[in-house]
């Protein structure tokens, strides 16, 4: 099951996100997920595990487990490299052991002080606030992203964590339309206006936090998880599925790609099984009622000293 992007390439509607994956676990997780049927892997320079992902992908390809053309590999430009897009992309390609990327995203709509290619962090100023570089516009960054397509390094380019206004601006100056906007969206943060806007303009939406961050965001940010919601639990009982499966299926049925993260084999298998059933319209409508407009990923507000979404 795949979504055809505006670039003409197909992206599997479910993938595996590698954020927070421990380096020692990556090889087995990637190999096992490919055996289960996963072909879409979502990476980022900032996750600091591209090298390990690349080793696993190389092994899978070299042993004949999967062909390169069957895979859809995404990675992202980090905030510190907006002025060094070509070098950053080539560095990610080298670590991932790939000749091209299927999708390259601007990770956040903010440029920060450059700290060196491959040195991904969040530089802070003397006041403990994210050190934003005001000399690099998002349009300048996008022009450099477009050059990657013309050079054959990247098949599709896109954006991440852009709201309606920034997405509109990108469409206004883009010569190559963003194929994807990867955002936080889940039943507690449905963002219907942004999703509809993107779909109207031919931009695929990928949910980078399709389960609301679950335990990881609970522990890191003190967030409330939609997986504990009684309405969602009731729907899960009806279908004899887990709440996580219901939430992922909801995301797929609203035509958004989902990239859940897990380090457990049984969860890998369970997540992929969402392709095996459908939700009734009445249950899709019921899930609409649990929207709290509640962002669970609080990295901006709680780690950078400035709320980029305020």
């Amino acid at each position: 099951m795949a979504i055809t992007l505006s670039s003409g390439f197909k992206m599997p509607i479910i993938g595996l996100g590698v954020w927070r994956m421990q380096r020692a676990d990556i090889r087995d997780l990637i190999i096992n997920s490919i055996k289960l049927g996963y072909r879409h892997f979502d990476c980022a320079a900032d996750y600091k595990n591209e090298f390990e992902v690349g080793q696993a992908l190389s092994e899978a390809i070299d042993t004949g487990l999967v062909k390169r053309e069957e895979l859809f590999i995404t990675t992202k430009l980090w905030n510190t490299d907006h002025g060094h897009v070509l070098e950053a992309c080539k560095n990610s390609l080298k670590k991932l052991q790939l000749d091209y990327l299927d999708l390259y995203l601007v990770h956040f709509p903010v440029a920060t002080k450059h700290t060196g290619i491959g040195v991904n962090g969040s530089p802070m100023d003397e006041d403990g606030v994210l050190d934003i570089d005001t000399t690099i516009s998002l349009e300048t960054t996008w022009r450099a992203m477009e050059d990657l397509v013309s050079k054959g390094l990247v098949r599709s380019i896109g954006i991440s964590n852009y709201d309606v206004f920034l997405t509109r601006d990108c469409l206004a100056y883009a010569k190559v339309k963003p194929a994807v906007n990867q955002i936080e969206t889940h039943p507690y943060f449905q963002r219907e206006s942004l999703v509809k806007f993107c779909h109207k303009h031919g931009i695929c939406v990928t949910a980078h936090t399709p389960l609301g961050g679950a335990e990881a965001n609970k522990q890191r940010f003190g967030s409330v998880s939609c997986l504990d919601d009684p309405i969602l639990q009731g729907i899960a009982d009806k279908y004899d599925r887990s709440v996580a499966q219901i939430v992922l299926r909801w995301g797929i049925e609203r035509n958004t790609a989902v990239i859940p993260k897990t380090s457990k084999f049984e969860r890998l298998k369970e997540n992929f099984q969402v392709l095996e059933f459908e939700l009734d319209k009445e249950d899709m409508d019921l899930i609409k009622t649990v929207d709290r407009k509640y962002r669970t990923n609080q990295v901006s507000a709680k780690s950078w000293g400035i709320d980029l979404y305020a």
Side-chain angles (χ1 to χ4, degrees):
M1 192 172 182
I3 295 175
T4 300
L5 304 178
S6 59
S7 58
F9 294 99
K10 293 184 181 295
M11 181 176 71
I13 202 164
I14 185 168
L16 177 64
V18 303
W19 186 31
R20 295 171 175 157
M21 276 192 186
Q22 297 300 311
R23 294 176 180 177
D25 299 334
I26 285 176
R27 185 265 174 195
D28 288 345
L29 284 167
I30 296 290
I31 297 298
N32 285 331
S33 62
I34 290 174
K35 289 178 178 178
L36 286 169
Y38 286 88
R39 295 294 181 266
H40 177 181
F41 296 93
D42 184 82
C43 315
D46 186 55
Y47 300 166
K48 300 176 177 62
N49 55 18
E50 285 179 315
F51 179 78
E52 289 76 17
V53 172
Q55 286 183 314
L57 293 175
S58 180
E59 178 184 338
I61 293 168
D62 291 346
T63 59
L65 181 60
V66 69
K67 296 177 181 178
R68 170 62 185 100
E69 58 267 26
E70 296 172 336
L71 295 170
F72 190 99
I73 310 300
T74 300
T75 197
K76 308 179 189 75
L77 174 79
W78 186 237
N79 305 337
T80 54
D81 290 330
H82 277 230
H84 304 268
V85 174
L86 177 61
E87 302 97 311
C89 180
K90 286 183 174 180
N91 188 57
S92 286
L93 283 168
K94 182 179 179 180
K95 289 181 177 179
L96 290 167
Q97 300 186 42
L98 299 174
D99 296 324
Y100 67 90
L101 294 169
D102 295 278
L103 178 63
Y104 197 44
L105 303 176
V106 180
H107 203 151
F108 279 93
V110 61
T112 61
K113 179 182 177 181
H114 183 58
T115 53
I117 300 298
V119 183
N120 302 295
S122 298
M124 313 297 276
D125 64 20
E126 60 274 12
D127 296 320
V129 176
L130 190 68
D131 197 352
I132 294 174
D133 186 340
T134 59
T135 69
I136 303 172
S137 70
L138 292 177
E139 181 175 356
T140 298
T141 300
W142 191 251
R143 290 283 172 259
M145 295 285 286
E146 291 174 326
D147 286 343
L148 299 177
V149 178
S150 63
K151 286 180 168 64
L153 297 175
V154 174
R155 288 186 165 180
S156 303
I157 52 177
I159 53 183
S160 182
N161 299 301
Y162 278 50
D163 62 16
V164 168
F165 303 107
L166 290 174
T167 303
R168 188 216 71 88
D169 282 353
C170 189
L171 286 169
Y173 54 67
K175 295 177 182 177
V176 178
K177 178 191 291 188
V180 170
N181 187 6
Q182 188 178 122
I183 61 171
E184 177 180 343
T185 180
H186 45 79
Y188 275 5
F189 196 44
Q190 297 187 20
R191 310 183 80 179
E192 197 67 21
S193 294
L194 177 55
V195 172
K196 284 182 176 178
F197 180 84
C198 288
H199 286 167
K200 178 180 179 180
H201 293 281
I203 302 172
C204 169
V205 173
T206 296
H208 65 55
T209 314
L211 299 175
E215 287 301 317
N217 279 355
K218 270 188 183 180
Q219 294 172 12
R220 187 174 182 188
F221 305 119
S223 303
V224 175
S225 173
C226 65
L227 300 185
D228 298 325
D229 189 274
I231 290 177
L232 297 179
Q233 289 175 340
I235 296 173
D237 291 341
K238 173 182 173 180
Y239 289 86
D240 194 24
R241 298 279 179 170
S242 71
V243 178
Q245 285 179 313
I246 296 300
V247 170
L248 292 176
R249 186 66 210 184
W250 167 81
I252 287 172
E253 291 195 22
R254 70 198 294 241
N255 201 33
T256 61
V258 293
I259 45 171
K261 302 146 186 75
T262 184
S263 58
K264 298 179 175 63
F265 178 77
E266 284 306 312
R267 289 284 176 82
L268 275 176
K269 185 177 179 181
E270 178 185 290
N271 290 344
F272 203 70
Q273 289 171 340
V274 300
L275 300 176
E276 299 174 358
F277 72 100
E278 296 180 356
L279 296 174
D280 295 335
K281 183 181 182 301
E282 64 182 22
D283 294 313
M284 290 293 293
D285 291 341
L286 184 57
I287 293 173
K288 285 183 180 180
T289 68
V290 307
D291 190 7
R292 298 187 181 188
K293 296 178 173 50
Y294 178 71
R295 185 186 300 277
T296 64
N297 188 332
Q298 298 290 331
V299 66
S300 171
K302 295 194 176 181
S303 302
W304 291 347
I306 182 172
D307 188 350
L308 297 179
Y309 306 106

